[in-house]
Amino acid sequence: MCLLSLLHHVSDEDDPHGIVAHLMDALPPGSHLALTHVTGDFLPAATTARGIALYRARGIPVQPRTRASIARFFDGLELLEPGLVPVQRWRPAPGVVPVADAAAGGYGAVARKA
């Protein structure tokens, strides 16, 4: 299941962790979850707040989450290497120097259901 650049548009009140758990429960063992999610971890709080305000002013809900909160989406699953990392650091091509974490602004991972 691919949930790429999606869950940061689901508010905490809508229980995004419960949604993902429900979707994964319906899948057989051996299924995978690929997920990317925006974070404010790499930016000053004021910069993140301005970004949130810009989205919301245009009617687009956005909820950046911390690495710990994003990691919860993978509870009960086996993370594949390199784990939950800034998206540009997830298996970069050989010789490619990833951009700074703040430039990418999100985490990503793939995990397998046992």
Side-chain angles (χ1 to χ4, degrees):
M1 173 173 48
C2 293
L3 297 175
L4 307 175
S5 298
L6 175 69
L7 291 170
H8 47 259
H9 297 295
V10 179
S11 71
D12 287 340
E13 294 78 30
D14 290 323
D15 189 19
H17 295 96
I19 291 169
V20 172
H22 177 76
L23 292 170
M24 289 306 296
D25 284 347
L27 297 176
S31 297
H32 289 75
L33 170 62
L35 185 148
T36 61
H37 198 296
V38 167
T39 188
D41 287 357
F42 310 118
L43 299 171
T47 302
T48 300
R50 280 193 303 273
I52 292 169
L54 285 171
Y55 271 89
R56 292 184 179 165
R58 288 160 178 78
I60 303 168
V62 66
Q63 178 67 58
R65 293 186 172 88
T66 64
R67 186 183 186 285
S69 182
I70 297 166
R72 286 184 46 219
F73 289 115
F74 298 99
D75 283 354
L77 304 174
E78 175 189 347
L79 281 172
L80 304 182
E81 288 298 323
L84 179 60
V85 296
V87 292
Q88 78 282 10
R89 298 186 186 283
W90 206 91
R91 299 187 181 183
V96 172
V97 177
V99 298
D101 295 344
Y107 290 104
V110 175
R112 181 180 177 275
K113 181 178 178 179

